[in-house]
Amino acid sequence: MKTVDLRVVHKGGAPAEPFRLQGWVRSHRASKQVSFIEFSDGTSITHLQLVVEPALPSYAAIAARITTGAAVEVIGTLVDSPGGKQKYEFRVSGIQLVGDADAATYPLQKKGHTLEFLREIQHLRPRTNTLGAVFRLRSAAAMAIHRFFDEQGFYYVHTPIITTSDAEGAGEMFHVTTLDLANVPKIDGHVDFSKDFFNAEASLTVSGQLEGEIVATALKKIYTFGPTFRAENSNTARHLSEFWMIEPEVAFLDLEGNMALGESFIKYLITDVLDHCEDELAFLHAREWVKEPGLMDTLKALANSTFEKLDYTEAIRILEKSGKSFDFPVKWGIDLQTEHERYLTDEHVKGPVFVVNYPKQIKAFYMKVNADDKTVRAMDMLVPRLGEIIGGSQREERHDVLLNRIRQMGLPEANYWWYLELRKFGTVPHSGFGLGFERFLMYASGMQNIRDVIPFPRFPGFARF
Ligand code: 4AD
Ligand code: MG
């Protein structure tokens, strides 16, 4: 007998003859005439109503154990539903209990648990409607990302997770070591990393970009998609210590081309997840914490819009003229804070916007310096409600200018010898960006906290599960 997933059943793929379902009980309502089991197998946002004759022997034997959370296997057929609530239901001809769920202790008894509470039970929260929908969306979005780049002729590159270079030069890295922490070898008061596993100071990567540039200047168009780690003490709803980033890198591409790539990428992703997960999105958008009416329409309209572009200098002028009193005062040279980004997107542009040409002091060492020697060819894509979801730039391809920047910023020059050498042998203009995968998921789903769009969030003070 065929076992069928609910997503197939709901797409009209149920066989006419009896078939099997495997999943979990959401609720069970027993009565003398007929019993109802609300059933879900996690493959679809929509549940299925199972209808059981109480006298059915396989049911009668286990009826008391068909509790919320219990795992069951049922056999039956799909029939038209007489009630108005659903079009069809499943008439059970046989049921088997696979795994009990103790009614007194199973935490997901009643509906409406807070997302905060669910973060404490990450081993069970994928079984809720909300987190289930998020994780199916996450999977679909990951597939869409690979599809987009494949269709555009990009090669997928795996950059290292353990690295000895700081790609952002910001020093926010987690150490990777096998040194005995109770007895650390030292020279002149400093840790002697030559005694460590890699004979060097190693860390978890903050970005695959630098290695991505190596391969882009060989295969032309590449992208990475992997986990990245930041040891920044940002306890916010938009920061994780471990997050996933998509980083395309393209040889012979300038900043304008880079923005065009970012714009078509976001549009493709939105269109694709609307195609594959509209039910999940509709469900998520209707949650009580989503305060944005018409989010679905906004997403649909995005595909046909043109993203605005603002020079950083112009953005500062707009913020100064806004009449708003920001917590962080605005003046040329500051890094844009979330409140500034949100004014630009939510109130000024009312949509996504690229901000370009930031002051060089506030951006990473690898960005191409403009002719004014004050700004760099950086681009951030900001979206309503979140602010930055993409950070990217045209890279500095001139050897001497790059070397100067590394020195000026006090970075350990020796660590970047290979990065500099790319500028000695067949250097080309090239550009790329990083999309924070979880930021994108927040944007599409309307989820308010980044900890709820990744199955196992890590943030300061928390790495459980
Ligand atoms: O702006 P960022 O730091 O840029 C880079 O890492 C570049 N090397 C990318 C490149 O040009 N290849 O990070 C890129 C994006 C941000 O725009 C944001 O969406 C996300 O990564 N991001 C985070 N997401 C979650 N938690 C954090 N702590 C994040 N830090 C950055
Ligand atoms: Mg950034």
Side-chain angles (χ1 to χ4, degrees), residues 7 11 136-137 140-141 144 147 151 266-282 285 296 299-300 303 440 444:
R7 65 190 290 185
K11 277 189 190 136
R136 282 189 299 275
L137 171 70
R147 213 175 303 119
E151 284 171 12
I266 294 296
K267 288 177 174 174
Y268 183 100
L269 289 189
I270 293 286
T271 308
D272 199 280
V273 297
L274 282 168
D275 263 6
H276 288 91
C277 298
E278 187 157 4
D279 292 348
E280 270 78 10
L281 289 172
H285 294 176
M296 187 73 81
L299 295 182
K300 284 180 176 164
F440 171 78

Side-chain angles (χ1 to χ4, degrees), residues 338-358:
T338 304
E339 54 175 343
H340 308 136
E341 294 177 343
R342 293 204 46 182
Y343 176 80
L344 293 172
T345 52
D346 297 25
E347 298 186 51
H348 184 77
V349 174
K350 299 191 170 65
V353 58
F354 282 106
V355 179
V356 298
N357 297 323
Y358 284 75

